[in-house]
Every structure is written in structure tokens, then in C-alpha cells.
Amino acid sequence: MDDIEFRRREEFRDQQAEIAGINNGRQARFLSADGTRLNSPESRERARQQAFQTQLELLLNDPAYRAHYDHVLDLIAQTQATLDTAIAETSETIERLEALINDLETRAAKLPDGTGVFLAADGPVYTADGRNLGSNTEMGIDFPKDAPSWEQYRGAREALKAARERMRDYGELQNDVLDPARERMNDPENPPTLEELGELERQIQERNAQLLSHSPVQSAFIKVSDPVPSDGGIDNDLIAAVDFGSKP
């Protein structure tokens, strides 16, 4: 038997062994890992498709990576939904407080020069910017019965300041955490590693926990005792519940 015939028969035996799934100790020469013939149209098409897959698509073929990746995507979406709701509610709170403060300033007692003043429970008179003008015993200002107190006005201003600070904190959560995380997750050619996914998850869960820790009932209450205005303004014994908590 010449060498050509020997190699022909050997290749035939190897091919049959590969088709049968028998490991004969030789490197596969005829079938690819998925059972298609090497250099066949099917194997060439599969290689072409794999060549056009992004790095992210290749990583997503790993079940463990895909599970962690999908979990972080879900976490981003859930935190975004919570944040959107908080922003909408806080925006409404700010509008209510601004309207309340405008009403308090309109109904405040006025000095001859038009400066609005508020009487504190312990006697001092304050301007809207917090200047203490001294005791009303000495000043003798005639405060109308329905004039808002200094405590009411100061409480409304402090609540508005806190609500605006919360909005700034929400902006930081959006711009410094969620947007960068979403951009990182959507990089097809340089996707996050498993370690990076873990770090993204930690950062988002930490900020999400802070966001959810704010009790919707944790409120500042501003009581305005006044007759019902004819123009439909603030009602008698109005309680303005300001939905804000500790900063995230």
C-alpha cells in the first residue's frame, strides 16, 4: 500500500470517528464543534456571523455574565422609575411652597416703607430676610389678626430650601450615577467586566437605598390660621405637608 492510499484510508477512519463522536486522540480535522464540516458553507457562515458579533454580544453568550448584566439593567430601570416619581412629587411640593410663601408675604404686616414683618411667639419682630427689628413691645406695630407669624413664615422658607436641596441631590443621582451606569452598560465594544458589574450594582443599590429610605410621611407642617380668603387662597387651618426627608 503506497503512502497516498494509506493517508486516504486514515483520513476516512478519522472522519468516520468524528462523525460518530469517537475521541481517537487526534485533533478534529473534518467537523467543527457544532458538528458542521470544517470549511463547509455552514461553518464559514457561522464564522462570518461570529466575526460580526460585538464584544458585548460574545460576553452575553455566557449565562452567568448575562444573568448579572440583566440584573444590573433591571436595577437601573427600577431606580430610574423611583427617581422620576420622587422628582415629580418634589417639584409639586416646591410649587405649593412657593405659592404658600407668596401668600404669607402678601398677608404680612407692613412697615411704613412697605417692608413685610412677622411677629414671633416670644415677642421679636422679624423681616422676611430674618433681620430682628426688636421687641414689638417697643415698636408697637399693629399686627392684623390674620397676619402670619414668624414661625409660619420661617417654617415655609426652611421647607422650600430643603425641597430644593433634595432636587439638587436627585440631579446628582441622575447625572453622577444612573446616566454613567447606563452608558457603561451600553458600550458594545468595551462592555463592563463581571467585577465592574458588581461595582455598578453596589453603587446603584447604595443610592437607591438612600432614595427609598425617605419616608413619604416625613414632613414639615406649616399651619396657617386665617379666614378663608375671598380669592380662593389659603384655607383656614391649612396644613401644608411638605414631602421631604434627609438628603440622599
Side-chain angles (χ1 to χ4, degrees):
M1 181 186 303
D2 58 22
D3 289 343
I4 296 176
E5 179 64 17
F6 177 80
R7 286 196 300 271
R8 187 185 67 78
R9 292 187 179 185
E10 184 180 45
E11 288 179 355
F12 179 78
R13 287 193 300 269
D14 290 345
Q15 182 181 15
Q16 297 308 304
E18 289 184 28
I19 293 173
I22 299 172
N23 181 7
N24 60 6
R26 298 178 182 271
Q27 182 178 357
R29 293 179 293 159
F30 301 96
L31 299 180
S32 64
D34 61 0
T36 58
R37 293 181 180 275
L38 293 174
N39 295 320
S40 68
E42 294 85 357
S43 65
R44 288 196 297 269
E45 175 62 19
R46 181 176 296 275
R48 186 190 69 80
Q49 291 176 354
Q50 290 178 344
F52 283 100
Q53 280 188 312
T54 65
Q55 186 63 28
L56 176 58
E57 289 171 333
L58 291 173
L59 285 175
L60 290 175
N61 290 327
D62 178 2
Y65 183 91
R66 174 176 282 279
H68 203 167
Y69 182 89
D70 289 345
H71 173 69
V72 175
L73 279 183
D74 289 343
L75 192 59
I76 292 173
Q78 293 166 7
T79 303
Q80 185 68 66
T82 303
L83 179 61
D84 289 344
T85 299
I87 288 174
E89 292 176 349
T90 306
S91 296
E92 181 180 351
T93 293
I94 289 174
E95 291 180 5
R96 291 168 54 206
L97 283 168
E98 289 174 341
L100 175 61
I101 289 171
N102 182 67
D103 180 85
L104 295 175
E105 291 176 345
T106 298
R107 295 187 296 106
K110 302 294 190 297
L111 297 179
D113 64 0
T115 300
V117 290
F118 304 89
L119 180 62
D122 56 353
V125 176
Y126 290 90
T127 62
D129 60 3
R131 286 185 294 125
N132 187 336
L133 301 181
S135 172
N136 195 43
T137 303
E138 300 174 357
M139 300 188 66
I141 300 173
D142 184 19
F143 282 88
K145 182 180 179 181
D146 65 344
S149 69
W150 169 242
E151 288 77 14
Q152 292 167 355
Y153 184 75
R154 181 183 61 188
R157 292 294 297 264
E158 289 176 351
L160 178 60
K161 178 182 178 182
R164 286 173 171 168
E165 288 176 351
R166 280 290 296 279
M167 285 295 284
R168 286 194 292 270
D169 293 332
Y170 290 151
E172 291 178 3
L173 174 57
Q174 182 72 67
N175 299 325
D176 298 344
V177 179
L178 291 183
D179 287 348
R182 189 177 291 109
E183 181 178 357
R184 188 72 189 92
M185 295 290 288
N186 290 329
D187 188 338
E189 298 303 338
N190 183 30
T193 63
L194 276 173
E195 290 75 14
E196 287 180 279
L197 288 175
E199 178 61 19
L200 287 173
E201 179 181 7
R202 185 196 65 77
Q203 292 177 1
I204 296 168
Q205 285 181 332
E206 181 178 290
R207 297 303 296 269
N208 198 22
Q210 293 171 343
L211 186 66
L212 293 175
S213 69
H214 303 144
S215 169
V217 187
Q218 186 176 355
S219 306
F221 294 98
I222 305 138
K223 182 174 181 180
V224 181
S225 299
D226 64 324
V228 179
S230 59
D231 61 356
I234 293 181
D235 200 346
N236 185 43
D237 293 334
L238 172 68
I239 301 296
V242 185
D243 297 322
F244 70 91
S246 58
K247 292 169 56 178

